[in-house]
Amino acid sequence: MIELRAGADRGHADHGWLKSQHSFSFADYHDPQHMGFGPLRVINEDRVAPGMGFGTHGHRDMEIVSYVLEGELAHQDSMGNGSVIRPGDVQRMSAGTGVRHSEFNHAKDRTTHFLQIWIEPAERGIAPGYEEKHFPEAAKRGRLALLASPDGGEGSVTLHQDARLYAGLFDGDERASLQLAAGRLGYVHLARGTLTVNGRALVAGDALKLAGEPELRLEAGDGAEVLVFDLPR
């Protein structure tokens, strides 16, 4: 099964300071056909206006991954962490038994464009945790770099779920493939550019859901920045 989730059909919210597109049901956007995929529960493409951000708020029992495409995002949380994440950085916050945090764009003249990803953990009630790592463009050029995994392999951040997240940059003849074990799900989200995945042409914002496919094949990219998820059912 290969199913297209067209970027143009995503949910949309415009709060003035925040413009967000929802791949899955979130907040006031509800679509029973798009409640998640395996443990992948949220992919929000957010644009935060200069000098604005998300005030302090709480979460529980969710693995929250932030991936910055443009600009900077300042993070503070109740665990005592404070940092600024930029393009190439991957941040993982395990909400566990409960955490409060804020995210702000402190720039005066630049919008922050980032992806907010939620993955349900394999176990509820774990201790909250935080991790952040940088992945340079060279690590993603023409290949899929492992960003997040259950064992922190290849320098990735650690997820409390049997899920793996990859990112790649593709242009021209650059191509890559990813094997999917029997019973696994694949989800491809194209953040920028154009890309062909298993023969399907994607534009920015599009996604593919894959089940029963043994392999993902990525090719014919033009300015493509793509996230690929290998997920349990």
Side-chain angles (χ1 to χ4, degrees), residues 40-100:
L40 178 59
R41 182 61 186 83
V42 167
I43 300 181
N44 290 344
E45 182 178 0
D46 291 340
R47 289 176 169 85
V48 181
M52 305 299 290
F54 304 88
T56 301
H57 60 286
H59 294 288
R60 294 178 61 93
D61 293 317
M62 196 65 68
E63 301 289 280
I64 301 173
V65 177
S66 297
Y67 184 91
V68 177
L69 295 164
E70 296 179 85
E72 299 180 347
L73 194 65
H75 169 90
Q76 297 282 339
D77 65 44
S78 55
M79 295 177 283
N81 299 298
S83 67
V84 177
I85 59 173
R86 302 173 175 87
D89 293 339
V90 174
Q91 177 196 84
R92 184 269 302 163
M93 186 176 68
S94 298
T97 54
V99 67
R100 294 180 62 77

Side-chain angles (χ1 to χ4, degrees), residues 16-43:
W17 65 272
L18 170 68
K19 293 178 172 58
S20 185
Q21 292 175 288
H22 309 311
S23 295
F24 303 106
S25 295
F26 185 85
D28 293 333
Y29 168 63
H30 180 77
D31 183 341
Q33 300 301 313
H34 298 284
M35 297 298 296
F37 193 60
L40 178 59
R41 182 61 186 83
V42 167
I43 300 181

Side-chain angles (χ1 to χ4, degrees), residues 2-225:
I2 302 180
E3 179 184 332
L4 173 68
R5 171 56 159 152
D9 295 337
R10 290 176 293 175
H12 179 71
D14 187 343
H15 301 285
W17 65 272
L18 170 68
K19 293 178 172 58
S20 185
Q21 292 175 288
H22 309 311
S23 295
F24 303 106
S25 295
F26 185 85
D28 293 333
Y29 168 63
H30 180 77
D31 183 341
Q33 300 301 313
H34 298 284
M35 297 298 296
F37 193 60
L40 178 59
R41 182 61 186 83
V42 167
I43 300 181
N44 290 344
E45 182 178 0
D46 291 340
R47 289 176 169 85
V48 181
M52 305 299 290
F54 304 88
T56 301
H57 60 286
H59 294 288
R60 294 178 61 93
D61 293 317
M62 196 65 68
E63 301 289 280
I64 301 173
V65 177
S66 297
Y67 184 91
V68 177
L69 295 164
E70 296 179 85
E72 299 180 347
L73 194 65
H75 169 90
Q76 297 282 339
D77 65 44
S78 55
M79 295 177 283
N81 299 298
S83 67
V84 177
I85 59 173
R86 302 173 175 87
D89 293 339
V90 174
Q91 177 196 84
R92 184 269 302 163
M93 186 176 68
S94 298
T97 54
V99 67
R100 294 180 62 77
H101 73 117
S102 63
E103 314 288 337
F104 273 88
N105 173 16
H106 291 302
K108 296 180 180 179
D109 57 0
R110 187 174 185 183
T111 296
T112 294
H113 181 197
F114 79 107
L115 297 175
Q116 179 185 170
I117 299 159
W118 292 11
I119 296 173
E120 296 175 352
E123 180 182 352
R124 301 174 70 87
I126 64 173
Y130 180 89
E131 193 176 8
E132 177 187 324
K133 293 191 176 179
H134 181 74
F135 299 85
E137 284 194 11
K140 296 176 281 187
R141 171 54 56 196
R143 63 184 296 269
L144 290 174
L146 184 63
L147 306 185
S149 69
D151 60 3
E154 300 178 29
S156 61
V157 301
T158 302
L159 292 174
H160 295 90
Q161 176 57 269
D162 182 20
R164 289 167 177 81
L165 168 60
Y166 301 83
L169 303 170
F170 297 93
D171 278 299
D173 293 335
E174 294 172 335
R175 60 183 61 200
S177 62
L178 179 69
Q179 303 298 313
L180 294 175
R184 302 286 290 184
L185 302 172
Y187 190 89
V188 179
H189 178 87
L190 186 60
R192 288 196 274 218
T194 61
L195 187 68
T196 297
V197 180
N198 286 35
R200 305 291 185 94
L202 306 182
V203 299
D206 286 352
L208 281 184
K209 299 178 181 180
L210 302 101
E213 296 291 322
E215 183 181 50
L216 287 171
R217 301 180 303 279
L218 295 78
E219 58 190 344
D222 183 6
E225 184 163 7

